[in-house]
Amino acid sequence: MSLFALHILASGSKGNAAIVEDTSTGMGVLIDCGISGKALIERSEQCGFDPCKLQAVLITHEHTDHISGLGVCLRKLAKSGVNPTVFAQQASIDGSNTLRELANNHDFRTFKATEDDFVLAGMRITPFPTSHDAMGSCGFRFETETDALGFMTDTGIVTGEAHEALRDVRLLGLESNHDPAMLRACAYPAYVKARIAGDGGHLSNEQSAAELAELLSDRLEHVAALHISQNSNDYRMPGETLRAAVTRASHPANVHVAYQSKPITIR
C-alpha cells in the first residue's frame, strides 16, 4: 500500500525545504530549497530518506528563504547522478534572478496553480494558489490511490482553492507563523508587521487553528505547524493552539511542530 511520509527539513524565515516521500517506492519530491546542499543531504539522511531518490523539485514561490540553496543543491545532486526536474510558476521565474539563471542551465518546467496538475514519482500533484506577496505563490496537494497529503505555507489568508485542496488528507502541513501579540511587540518595523499580518503575509496561530478546525476529517491523522517565526512566535504556542482545535472537536489527529534548524518526519 502506498503511503506518504513528510520530511520537513527546515521551516522558517531562514530557509525552507521539505520532502514528500512515497514510502512504497522510496521516491520523493522536494518542496522548496532554501537551505544549503550540506543541510539537504544531512537532514534527508537523518530522516531516513535517500536524497538520490529525489525525482523533482517544486517551488512554492520565489522568495529567498525558499530558493536560495537551489542552485548549490542541484549541483551537489548532479555529482551523484541525480538531476531532478524543477517545477515553478512562470511568474516566480520572471520575478527571480536566481530562478531565471537556473532555468537556463537546468531542466525547468512551468505550471499554473489554477489550472495544472501533474504526476511525479507516482504521485498526482495539484498546485493551488495562496495569498502571499510574491509574483507566484502556491501550495500543493499530493495523492495516490491510497493516500493524500496537503502542504500550505506562506499565505495571509486561506483561499477557497486552498481550502478545497487541503480537505480530506491524511497528512497536513499548515502554516502557523506568528502570535499577533508577539508580532505587535517585536522589533520589526511597522511596515513589516503590517505585511506579516496582512492578507498577503502569513497565517497566525489562531488563523491556522481556525482552518484546521474546518479540515478535521475521519482521514486526517497528522498535522504539522509550518514556518514558525523566531521573532514573533515560539515553538510552544503553535502546537498548543492547534491541539486546542483538535481537542475541542474530540479528534484523534496528532499535532507536530516543524523547526528551523532540525528536521522532523510525519508519516
Side-chain angles (χ1 to χ4, degrees):
M1 182 169 61
S2 177
L3 292 176
F4 291 128
L6 176 60
H7 309 294
I8 305 169
L9 308 184
S11 187
S13 60
K14 295 181 180 179
N16 294 271
I19 294 169
V20 179
E21 177 190 2
D22 183 335
T23 59
S24 68
T25 64
M27 299 298 177
V29 172
L30 177 65
I31 306 174
D32 290 334
C33 193
I35 60 176
S36 69
K38 180 181 179 182
L40 174 70
I41 301 301
E42 289 182 349
R43 295 184 190 184
S44 295
E45 292 174 347
Q46 288 173 31
C47 292
F49 177 79
D50 180 358
C52 289
K53 292 190 175 181
L54 283 175
Q55 302 295 294
V57 183
L58 304 176
I59 303 299
T60 61
H61 64 292
E62 73 276 7
H63 285 170
T64 304
D65 56 322
H66 294 260
I67 64 166
S68 63
L70 181 58
V72 172
C73 289
L74 289 174
R75 291 190 291 273
K76 194 172 187 69
L77 290 169
K79 291 180 180 179
S80 299
V82 181
N83 294 284
T85 301
V86 180
F87 288 76
Q89 295 200 80
Q90 186 64 53
S92 291
I93 297 173
D94 293 342
S96 166
N97 290 334
T98 297
L99 291 180
R100 283 200 305 275
E101 291 174 6
L102 288 173
N104 291 328
N105 299 294
H106 296 275
D107 183 12
F108 266 61
R109 300 184 189 178
T110 61
F111 64 86
K112 294 182 179 180
T114 56
E115 299 177 15
D116 297 329
D117 61 4
F118 34 87
V119 176
L120 299 170
M123 315 170 192
R124 178 160 296 281
I125 299 168
T126 304
F128 55 85
T130 55
S131 179
H132 196 52
D133 56 356
M135 297 297 292
S137 182
C138 64
F140 299 98
R141 180 186 178 95
F142 297 77
E143 288 183 283
T144 64
E145 291 184 358
T146 55
D147 209 1
L149 180 154
F151 189 93
M152 181 176 70
T153 185
D154 292 70
T155 191
I157 59 173
V158 181
T159 67
E161 296 98 328
H163 178 75
E164 289 301 311
L166 296 175
R167 292 178 61 186
D168 196 32
V169 297
R170 186 178 68 85
L171 304 180
L172 175 64
L174 184 63
E175 178 172 58
S176 190
N177 174 257
H178 62 278
D179 171 72
M182 287 185 68
L183 179 63
R184 289 191 296 270
C186 78
Y188 286 144
Y191 76 91
V192 174
K193 295 179 183 181
R195 170 192 171 267
I196 291 170
D199 287 355
H202 296 274
L203 292 182
S204 70
N205 298 333
E206 290 76 12
Q207 288 173 302
S208 182
E211 175 62 13
L212 175 60
E214 296 295 320
L215 294 173
L216 293 173
S217 68
D218 291 342
R219 193 178 194 181
L220 184 65
E221 295 180 6
H222 298 277
V223 57
L226 302 177
H227 213 291
I228 294 168
S229 172
Q230 293 179 297
N231 296 309
S232 57
N233 211 350
D234 59 31
Y235 289 117
R236 173 185 56 83
M237 285 190 291
E240 289 183 350
T241 307
L242 294 184
R243 287 188 190 99
V246 170
T247 299
R248 283 193 295 271
S250 300
H251 195 281
N254 296 293
V255 175
H256 312 263
V257 174
Y259 298 94
Q260 182 68 84
S261 58
K262 63 180 180 180
I264 69 165
T265 294
I266 62 174
R267 62 176 78 237

